[in-house]
Amino acid sequence: MSSLAKRTISGIVFVAIMLAGLLLNRFLFAGLVVFVMIVMMLEFYKMTMGDRYKGSRILAILAGVILELVLFLENGWDVPTKLMALTMIPMIVVMINSLFVKDKSEFGLFSYIYTGYVYIAVPLALSNLIAFHDGDFNATLLLAFFAIIWSSDVGAYAFGLSLGQKYGKKMCPSISPKKSWIGFWGGMLTSVIAVILLHSFGVISISLIHCIVLGILMHCGGVCGDLFESMWKRFCNVKDSGNIIPGHGGMMDRFDSALIAIPVGAVYLSLFNLL
C-alpha cells in the first residue's frame, strides 16, 4: 500500500471515530476522551522520559482519567464538583514516591510527569464543559471547534506548501523550519471561512462578529499548540510523537493544535457568556 493510500485510509478512519465519539452519545464521547488522553500521555512520557519511572507515569495517567470522569459525571449528572479532589490523590502519591525512588540521579525527570498532566490531561478533560449544556450532552460546538482547527491546518498546509516555501518568510525556523508566515495567514483565512460557514448553517449560534473573532483566536491558538509540540519533539530529537495512526504519526501529532486552540475558544466564549 502506498504512503498516500495509507494516510488517506487512516485519516478517514480517524475522522469517523471522532464523529462517532462527538455525535452519537455521551459514553462514546467519554471513552474517546479517555483513550486519546491515555495514548497522548504515554507518547509524551515515552518521548521525554524513555522507560524511566513507569509507576509514577501510570499514577499521573490515572489522575488524568479520574479528572475526566469526575468532570463527565459533574456535567452530565450533577455529581458534586468537590469530588475533583480525588484527582489529587494519584499526583500526591507521585510526589511521595519520588522521595523514595532508589535512583535520584535523574530526579528532574519527574517534572515531565507533572507537565504531561497539565499539558494534556487538563485541556482534554475540560472538553466536558463544552460538550454538556445543563446536563444534556450536545457536542456540536466541540465538533465545530475541531472543524475550525482542521480548516486552519489544511489552509496553512496548502498556502505554505504552494507559496510559503518559495516566497514566504519562515515563522519559527529554529522550531519548525517548514512553517511560513504565508501559511499562517492562509490558515487564518480558511479558519475564518470555516467559522462563517458554520454560522451560516446554524452550527454556531452566535453573532457573525464573534464567530470571526473566534476563528482568528482559535487559529492562533492552534498554531501555538502545533509549535509547542514541535519544540518538544525537537528537544527530544524525535520526528513523530508515536505511530498509532499510520501515515500520520502519533496521537499528539493529531491533537497538538487542539490542546491550546480549544481552551482559547472556550475562554473567549465564556468571557462573553456565550458558552
Side-chain angles (χ1 to χ4, degrees):
M1 185 182 295
S2 69
S3 177
L4 178 60
K6 188 184 294 184
R7 273 183 70 90
T8 302
I9 293 172
S10 61
I12 292 172
V13 172
F14 172 76
V15 171
I17 293 173
M18 286 290 297
L19 291 175
L22 291 172
L23 296 178
L24 293 184
N25 65 64
R26 62 182 67 196
F27 299 106
L28 280 176
F29 168 75
L32 176 65
V33 174
V34 168
F35 175 74
V36 170
M37 179 187 295
I38 291 174
V39 174
M40 287 180 70
M41 292 182 77
L42 285 172
E43 289 177 349
F44 180 78
Y45 292 142
K46 180 69 175 179
M47 185 170 64
T48 56
M49 302 175 66
D51 294 325
R52 302 298 303 276
Y53 304 125
K54 288 184 177 180
S56 295
R57 289 150 57 172
I58 291 172
L59 287 169
I61 293 172
L62 177 61
V65 172
I66 293 174
L67 176 62
E68 156 60 22
L69 294 179
V70 168
L71 284 175
F72 175 72
L73 293 172
E74 193 275 329
N75 284 275
W77 284 275
D78 291 327
V79 172
T81 309
K82 62 185 179 182
L83 290 178
M84 198 84 67
L86 292 174
T87 65
M88 286 302 299
I89 296 176
M91 296 305 291
I92 291 172
V93 175
V94 169
M95 296 177 194
I96 295 173
N97 176 63
S98 68
L99 301 175
F100 297 97
V101 293
K102 292 182 180 179
D103 182 9
K104 293 184 174 60
S105 61
E106 297 185 2
F107 184 79
L109 291 178
F110 275 90
S111 63
Y112 295 134
I113 294 176
Y114 310 126
T115 300
Y117 177 78
V118 175
Y119 172 38
I120 297 170
V122 173
L124 288 177
L126 290 176
S127 63
N128 287 280
L129 304 180
I130 306 171
F132 286 90
H133 305 276
D134 297 324
D136 295 324
F137 174 72
N138 184 353
T140 304
L141 179 60
L142 191 57
L143 178 59
F145 277 12
F146 278 111
I148 296 169
I149 294 167
W150 293 336
S151 298
S152 169
D153 288 344
V154 170
Y157 178 79
F159 278 87
L161 186 65
S162 59
L163 299 172
Q165 301 306 311
K166 186 174 181 180
Y167 304 106
K169 185 177 180 181
K170 304 301 181 183
M171 280 188 66
C172 298
S174 62
I175 300 174
S176 184
K178 293 184 178 180
K179 278 189 169 47
S180 65
W181 282 106
I182 287 181
F184 173 83
W185 295 115
M188 181 178 292
L189 174 64
T190 52
S191 65
V192 169
I193 292 173
V195 81
I196 290 174
L197 290 174
L198 290 167
H199 175 268
S200 300
F201 287 104
V203 179
I204 301 180
S205 55
I206 59 177
S207 71
L208 184 58
I209 294 298
H210 279 304
C211 281
I212 293 173
V213 175
L214 178 68
I216 292 172
L217 290 177
M218 288 191 65
H219 164 70
C220 294
V223 171
C224 290
D226 193 349
L227 288 171
F228 190 61
E229 196 228 0
S230 294
M231 187 165 60
W232 275 111
K233 290 192 293 186
R234 183 167 290 274
F235 174 73
C236 298
N237 196 29
V238 297
K239 182 178 182 295
D240 297 316
S241 64
N243 55 11
I244 192 172
I245 309 174
H248 291 266
M251 201 67 76
M252 279 186 67
D253 297 320
R254 294 302 93 205
F255 285 93
D256 53 357
S257 300
L259 290 177
I260 294 182
I262 289 179
V264 166
V267 168
Y268 174 76
L269 294 182
S270 297
L271 286 175
F272 290 94
N273 199 30
L274 299 171
L275 186 60

